[in-house]
Amino acid sequence: MLPVIFVVAGLFLLVFVRAVTGYVRTGDRLHAATILVFLSVGTLYFLQVARVFVVLPEWISVAALVLLLGQPVFTLRLVALVRPLSPYVTGSWIAAWIAVGGAVVLTYPLTDAMAVVFVGYFVLGEAVAAAFLAGEVRRRAGAPRVRLSAAAIATGLFALGMFLAGAGRYAGDAAQSFAVASRLVALGSAVGYLVAFVPPRFLRQQWSARTAYLLMTRLLEQSTGTPEETWARFARLGTEAVDADLAVVVSLPAAGRPEALVVAGTTRDELEPAELAMVLEYADSPGPTRVGERRHGHFVTRVPLTLHSGQAGVLVLLAVRPSLFTVDDITLLGDLGRQAAVIAERSQLTTELRGVVEQLRAANHAKSDFVAAMSHELRTPLNAIIGFSELMRDEEPTDDDRRQVPTEWIENVYSSGRHLLGLINDVLDLAKVEAGRIDLRPEPLTVDAAVHEAAAPLRPLVDAKGLTLSVGVPELTVRADRLRLRQMITNLLSNAIKFTPEGGTITISAHDGDGAVHLSVADTGPGIAEADQRRIFEEFQQVGDAGSRASGTGLGLALTSRLAQAHGGGVEVESTLGAGSTFTLNLPTAPVPDPTGPATHGGILIIEDDPAAASLLRTYLQAAGYQTIITANGGDGLTAARNTAPDVILLDVLLPGLDGWGVLRQLKEDPVLRHIPVVMVSVVEERELGLSLGAVDFFVKPVDRQALLGWLDRRGLIPLPPGARTRVLVVDSDPTGRTAVEGALADQGLIVFTATSGAEALRLARDTRFDLILSELIGPDLDGFSLIAALNEDKRTRDVPVVILADELSAEDKARLGDRILGVLPRAGLAPTDLRAWLDRSMLSGVKQ
Amino acid sequence: MTRILLVEDNELNRSLVRAILSRTREPVLAGAALSEAGSLAEARALLAGAAFDLVLLDMHLPDGSGLALAQELQSTGAERPAIVALTAAVLPAEQAATLNAGCDAFLAKPYTSGQLIEAIGGLLN
């Protein structure tokens, strides 16, 4: 008997120590409750060992028995921690403990009757506890299920042990065997409790490994979908792994509030607002992680995570019942979270890649479609050109090698050629806009003037169809590139002309609002079906009847829309089938010039705070005929730049407040102002810095007058003060054309000289200083290239700007003339106002057209 | 008398075919009558009202592809007119599609008058 007592007491001591170390490690209340369960019976066995060596006073034995009677109560307390238990159950057993304990104290040593009561009380209490635990087993899954089963069995074994101990009293000779059996059963019970509530490491590892394997397999089963789907799967697996009711993945952004990413649960997938608030607050609260903290009626546990974006996150597990999981489960979920992050990251990448592939595929498609459409659009006019010219070639020549062909054929070849040219120009423009390489020179433009400028050449078409063109545009100013604005209006207007039936009406109107001018071209054409309204802005997407289609390139609206966007605006269409269409061009408005303020167009803006330096610059420039505006600080300078669109800005570096570098940066960041050349002026040479920040040149104070004026001259900036008598030489061998140009210029108050040959022009230019030479390129007695070469050779004429009078220059000619010419001016159909405006613009801004 | 239907939306190209046919010395085409349609709808209307010996069919029409009309004609049976596809689509796959749809000959734009006459003459003879 003795060895058994020693062995059982020793093993109990081990179990007890194991439970205590477990509690110390985790602070888990389950561990504490388990220790109490062992404590009572452990004490009894320990006393039996002690009794072998010393005689113990009776009261110690009584106290040990009373403590042993507490065992069912402690067990029920443990049950209450893992499942809801009515307080009456625990309460009644506490009452029973007091009653039976009192009886034991009063009647010690135990009578037979008392022993029956004692064992009965014990067995009943343990059986109830075991039944409660067994009932809970069915509700749980995985490792918790195993552990609760172990607990239920352990409790049942304990009842059996007590029963055996009691029965030993009546066993006579077999009493010894009963005592040994009861102790062994009690030991088995203790091991069961240990497995259930303080599982040893090897068991935990085995459970973890098994759980990890199952979870990982299921997590990896599906590695596609959005990151959110991956996290939802992870959360769901989390609830199953630790037997929680709800799992919430919360992201914790470094800056900003925590946010619930996904919610997954066994019975529901959403949180009550109060729960959500609790979860977010708990997720973000500082302090170490504890298993199953009690908050707002939930047992909550958090597992720190790193989300796919590298952002900190937390998995919050909520359970209505106390959880059985341990710190190991948290570690496991943390590891699983890392895998989920990898999967989420990969799925995000896959989604992104899929999007990119889709985009590329679409772009490739669009390109193929464009090439196919372009091929078609090119072949159609080419077919007419080749076909008709072939017919002409096949006509029998007359004696003097001339052929008689119908004029219609020639007309057809010509108009097909023009169409082809228009098509190629539009395609090039479109490509330029798309590549962001279109060179826009926005300036304040009067809408009314732009509309008339665009409408004038289209007038014959309007008249030919008997259309009424009604223009009612109030005084509005837009910020736009002059040529492109005309191109956009022309496109919209020719579209309207094309689609409006004979006798119809086209109305052009405009209003401003929201910082934009809205210019509308309304027609009484057939209208555009709602389904086609988006399509018409795409390349080569023509709708409508065949006759109208044939006359367009199919690019006009696409180009107009892109050009408007490049200006910071857009084109919209409103249309009802059968009730006409209205195209509205939206462009940023330009401030209406203040009549009392500085001149609106051109001039040189001086931003300089030192009045003496500013005044000196002004003197130099005004004496040379330039208009100047002075502002004393950067802010005013930027405003003046916006309002007056200067041709050049002279910018001091040292300024009060915003310094010159800051002003330069703001100028270069402004889509409109960035085109204005800026010359930095400072006492310290910082040319490299200035050029790297976008300045075109750098002058060191004091500024050398000759250097400055020479620089402006080289930039092609010709001073044109109001009322100055500018001398212009017109070189044109055709008397009609010459007279027309001469008249137009003379009307503008310019002094006009004329020449009919290159030699005459050269002689005049050497005698008289001209501000401008207008020359045709090739005439009977004139070769424009030789004339320019000769002008370049003489230093008196080298700097005189030359404008070529021609409808259009070939690319080859343009390349040959290069920068030497200021631009090309169409001779035909030139209204005097157009000419003046063109000259103003070209000469003041140095546009190389 | 040979009756030819030209289905082509581009006025200049219609005018070209007209000129080529009026100048040709090909005997089969002497005194041929040419009708013109600018769209599939017009072509269908003309085909419903009269019998044609040959259709010059542009593939790229405002109300759809010429392929559709070629297929319709083919499904009407043996009495259908010969079809010459006129198209700016020149990829082999597109050519195959045209011929599969029941076109008897294929002319890629830009075509010469010789090619056009040869194609028409070959089918009518």
Side-chain angles (χ1 to χ4, degrees):
Chain A
M1 182 63 199
L2 260 187
V4 175
I5 290 175
F6 275 99
V7 168
V8 169
L11 288 175
F12 249 93
L13 187 67
L14 265 180
V15 168
F16 188 73
V17 166
R18 178 71 194 80
V20 171
T21 52
Y23 176 68
V24 169
R25 189 163 62 88
T26 61
D28 193 340
R29 291 185 306 167
L30 271 172
H31 289 188
T34 313
I35 291 168
L36 274 182
V37 171
F38 295 148
L39 188 65
S40 50
V41 71
T43 311
L44 191 73
Y45 294 143
F46 178 72
L47 289 182
Q48 283 176 346
V49 172
R51 237 182 246 122
V52 175
F53 302 104
V54 290
V55 178
L56 292 172
E58 191 176 87
W59 66 267
I60 289 187
S61 299
V62 174
L65 274 183
V66 172
L67 186 61
L68 185 64
L69 282 172
Q71 155 91 4
V73 175
F74 297 145
T75 310
L76 283 171
R77 229 190 122 237
L78 186 62
V79 171
L81 280 182
V82 295
R83 60 159 297 165
L85 195 64
S86 160
Y88 294 111
V89 178
T90 336
S92 51
W93 282 106
I94 291 174
W97 180 19
I98 292 167
V100 179
V104 167
V105 171
L106 294 176
T107 62
Y108 194 83
L110 290 182
T111 58
D112 280 356
M114 199 56 223
V116 170
V117 171
F118 190 103
V119 171
Y121 157 84
F122 231 105
V123 171
L124 195 59
E126 296 293 327
V128 167
F132 276 127
L133 286 171
E136 187 65 10
V137 164
R138 284 181 293 119
R139 299 172 191 274
R140 309 267 183 155
R145 186 175 193 145
V146 176
R147 291 167 60 187
L148 277 179
S149 305
I153 291 167
T155 312
L157 281 178
F158 206 89
L160 179 65
M162 280 302 125
F163 175 76
L164 289 175
R169 285 177 75 95
Y170 309 98
D173 296 343
Q176 286 275 340
S177 309
F178 271 86
V180 169
S182 89
R183 278 167 175 76
L184 289 178
V185 168
L187 189 65
S189 154
V191 170
Y193 278 119
L194 206 63
V195 167
F197 300 114
V198 196
R201 182 180 302 256
F202 77 91
L203 265 186
R204 294 202 315 261
Q205 278 173 348
Q206 203 168 341
W207 289 337
S208 288
R210 194 181 136 72
T211 316
Y213 172 75
L214 287 175
L215 294 184
M216 212 64 94
T217 315
R218 289 175 56 197
L219 189 65
L220 289 171
E221 253 166 27
Q222 214 186 343
S223 58
T224 54
T226 63
E228 280 71 23
E229 281 166 12
T230 304
W231 288 115
R233 215 159 57 242
F234 167 71
R236 195 169 299 287
L237 290 174
T239 60
E240 291 174 22
V242 301
D243 204 17
D245 301 308
L246 273 168
V248 187
V249 176
V250 180
S251 70
L252 298 173
R257 306 170 146 275
E259 198 184 331
L261 206 60
V262 291
V263 180
T266 47
T267 54
R268 59 193 170 123
D269 282 344
E270 64 236 354
L271 291 169
E272 310 275 327
E275 288 175 328
L276 180 65
M278 181 273 287
V279 164
L280 294 181
E281 189 260 318
Y282 171 65
D284 204 22
S285 60
T289 293
R290 305 222 98 146
V291 175
E293 282 183 54
R294 183 114 217 186
R295 280 183 193 232
H296 296 267
H298 286 285
F299 292 92
V300 293
T301 306
R302 61 183 166 183
V303 183
L305 299 171
T306 303
L307 300 182
H308 53 281
S309 41
Q311 199 174 62
V314 170
L315 172 72
V316 177
L317 297 156
L318 291 91
V320 179
R321 293 152 193 270
S323 52
L324 273 178
F325 58 86
T326 62
V327 175
D328 302 277
D329 295 323
I330 294 181
T331 316
L332 177 67
L333 285 177
D335 291 343
L336 199 64
R338 266 188 287 282
Q339 297 306 315
V342 171
I343 295 171
E345 201 157 314
R346 202 173 51 195
S347 60
Q348 189 178 33
L349 208 63
T350 312
T351 313
E352 280 171 15
L353 276 179
R354 199 169 290 149
V356 171
V357 167
E358 219 33 69
Q359 274 174 15
L360 285 176
R361 196 172 288 160
N364 201 28
H365 247 282
K367 204 181 79 183
S368 302
D369 289 352
F370 185 85
V371 169
M374 188 70 200
S375 163
H376 178 268
E377 297 298 331
L378 287 173
R379 280 164 192 279
T380 302
L382 272 175
N383 195 48
I385 292 172
I386 292 175
F388 280 111
S389 48
E390 192 198 11
L391 285 175
M392 292 178 204
R393 194 189 58 186
D394 290 350
E395 285 298 307
E396 288 298 323
T398 55
D399 295 340
D400 54 351
D401 197 32
R402 287 176 187 258
R403 294 154 210 240
Q404 274 207 324
V405 296
T407 321
E408 187 203 355
W409 294 4
I410 302 169
E411 275 305 321
N412 287 349
V413 171
Y414 177 77
S415 64
S416 292
R418 298 293 306 186
H419 179 87
L420 209 50
L421 179 67
L423 180 69
I424 290 166
N425 282 340
D426 280 0
V427 167
L428 287 181
D429 279 350
L430 206 56
K432 266 198 251 171
V433 185
E434 294 214 324
R437 286 217 312 267
I438 194 147
D439 187 23
L440 294 181
R441 287 175 166 271
E443 54 182 314
L445 298 171
T446 318
V447 178
D448 187 40
V451 168
H452 282 103
E453 211 173 298
L458 295 172
R459 181 57 74 175
L461 290 175
V462 173
D463 295 342
K465 279 183 93 172
L467 305 176
T468 311
L469 177 62
S470 130
V471 180
V473 179
E475 201 168 302
L476 291 169
T477 318
V478 288
R479 203 160 237 305
D481 182 284
R482 184 180 291 260
L483 283 178
R484 298 303 181 183
L485 177 61
R486 176 158 53 175
Q487 189 179 3
M488 289 186 277
I489 300 173
T490 302
N491 278 344
L492 293 182
L493 188 54
S494 46
N495 242 12
I497 295 171
K498 214 190 304 174
F499 287 101
T500 308
E502 288 191 10
T505 306
I506 298 170
T507 312
I508 303 181
S509 59
H511 68 276
D512 62 344
D514 297 332
V517 170
H518 312 282
L519 176 68
S520 297
V521 180
D523 62 47
T524 55
I528 303 155
E530 182 116 21
D532 291 331
Q533 287 182 9
R534 189 191 295 266
R535 204 156 63 84
I536 52 169
F537 291 106
E538 292 169 13
E539 297 87 356
F540 300 125
Q541 294 290 335
Q542 297 183 35
V543 295
D545 65 285
S548 309
R549 279 159 50 91
S551 54
T553 61
L555 291 172
L557 275 178
L559 183 57
T560 304
S561 167
R562 304 283 165 83
L563 280 173
Q565 283 163 14
H567 278 87
V571 180
E572 289 164 15
V573 63
E574 253 179 71
S575 181
T576 315
L577 261 186
S581 312
T582 302
F583 284 87
T584 303
L585 173 64
N586 304 315
L587 289 172
T589 181
V592 177
D594 177 3
T596 60
T600 45
H601 191 82
I604 296 170
L605 172 62
I606 303 166
I607 308 179
E608 166 68 83
D609 62 320
D610 176 10
S615 154
L616 191 64
L617 284 173
R618 165 180 284 199
T619 310
Y620 291 164
L621 293 168
Q622 282 189 342
Y626 293 96
Q627 297 175 47
T628 55
I629 306 143
I630 295 178
T631 66
N633 64 60
D636 290 353
L638 286 167
T639 312
R642 266 184 209 107
N643 291 339
T644 65
D647 297 314
V648 174
I649 297 173
L650 298 180
L651 176 58
D652 185 26
V653 172
L654 294 173
L655 290 171
L658 184 64
D659 73 359
W661 302 125
V663 175
L664 181 58
R665 194 166 295 124
Q666 288 197 23
L667 283 169
K668 291 300 154 192
E669 279 167 4
D670 188 297
V672 174
L673 302 179
R674 65 191 306 170
H675 303 289
I676 305 173
V678 179
V679 178
M680 300 302 294
V681 182
S682 179
V683 283
V684 189
E685 165 88 63
E686 285 175 288
R687 175 178 296 271
E688 291 304 315
L689 178 59
L691 298 190
S692 71
L693 289 175
V696 292
D697 214 329
F698 200 102
F699 282 97
V700 181
K701 285 185 192 172
V703 177
D704 181 74
R705 190 179 75 94
Q706 281 305 329
L708 178 62
L709 296 180
W711 185 91
L712 290 169
D713 200 30
R714 278 195 305 283
R715 298 287 296 186
L717 285 151
I718 304 144
L720 193 75
R725 299 288 280 168
T726 307
R727 276 186 285 263
V728 177
L729 173 62
V730 178
V731 192
D732 197 339
S733 47
D734 170 23
T736 328
R738 193 173 64 230
T739 316
V741 175
E742 189 185 354
L745 293 172
D747 286 347
Q748 298 301 312
L750 305 173
I751 303 168
V752 185
F753 289 68
T754 58
T756 54
S757 71
E760 197 191 346
L762 212 55
R763 202 179 56 244
L764 279 167
R766 282 173 183 155
D767 288 341
T768 314
R769 167 81 201 180
F770 287 105
D771 297 295
L772 185 70
I773 297 174
L774 289 166
S775 172
E776 65 171 351
L777 194 53
I778 302 292
D781 296 315
L782 176 74
D783 174 0
F785 297 109
S786 317
L787 173 62
I788 286 171
L791 287 171
N792 282 349
E793 269 167 32
D794 194 312
K795 79 169 192 282
R796 284 169 295 179
T797 55
R798 190 176 295 156
D799 294 327
V800 181
V802 178
V803 167
I804 299 294
L805 287 167
D807 288 337
E808 202 137 8
L809 279 190
S810 71
E812 192 193 328
D813 286 348
K814 235 178 217 170
R816 221 173 130 193
L817 293 165
D819 280 344
R820 180 58 183 89
I821 62 159
L822 193 58
V824 182
L825 197 57
R827 210 172 358 186
L830 201 68
T833 47
D834 286 349
L835 182 62
R836 175 69 203 213
W838 194 94
L839 284 176
D840 274 0
R841 193 165 72 249
S842 307
M843 293 166 86
L844 274 171
S845 58
V847 174
K848 299 269 187 279
Q849 290 191 0
Chain B
M1 188 183 65
T2 309
R3 292 191 57 109
I4 296 174
L5 172 62
L6 169 63
V7 190
E8 158 75 73
D9 64 334
N10 184 288
E11 162 55 28
L12 291 186
N13 283 324
R14 282 208 300 270
S15 157
L16 175 65
V17 172
R18 217 181 294 139
I20 291 173
L21 292 183
S22 69
R23 297 272 154 161
T24 183
R25 292 192 192 86
E26 168 73 39
V28 151
L29 290 168
L34 180 70
S35 304
E36 295 175 22
S39 66
L40 286 179
E42 285 175 38
R44 286 192 186 105
L46 285 169
L47 281 163
F52 288 92
D53 300 300
L54 184 129
V55 179
L56 294 169
L57 182 56
D58 184 28
M59 287 294 129
H60 193 270
L61 292 163
D63 50 354
S65 166
L67 283 179
L69 186 61
Q71 280 160 349
E72 285 166 32
L73 286 175
Q74 199 183 22
S75 63
T76 57
E79 285 303 302
R80 70 171 177 85
I83 305 169
V84 179
L86 306 175
T87 173
V90 289
L91 300 178
E94 294 166 324
Q95 295 189 10
T98 357
L99 296 178
N100 285 340
C103 297
D104 303 290
F106 175 93
L107 272 186
K109 289 181 188 173
Y111 46 80
T112 64
S113 58
Q115 287 168 332
L116 183 68
I117 294 302
E118 197 183 319
I120 298 175
L123 287 171
L124 290 181
N125 276 323

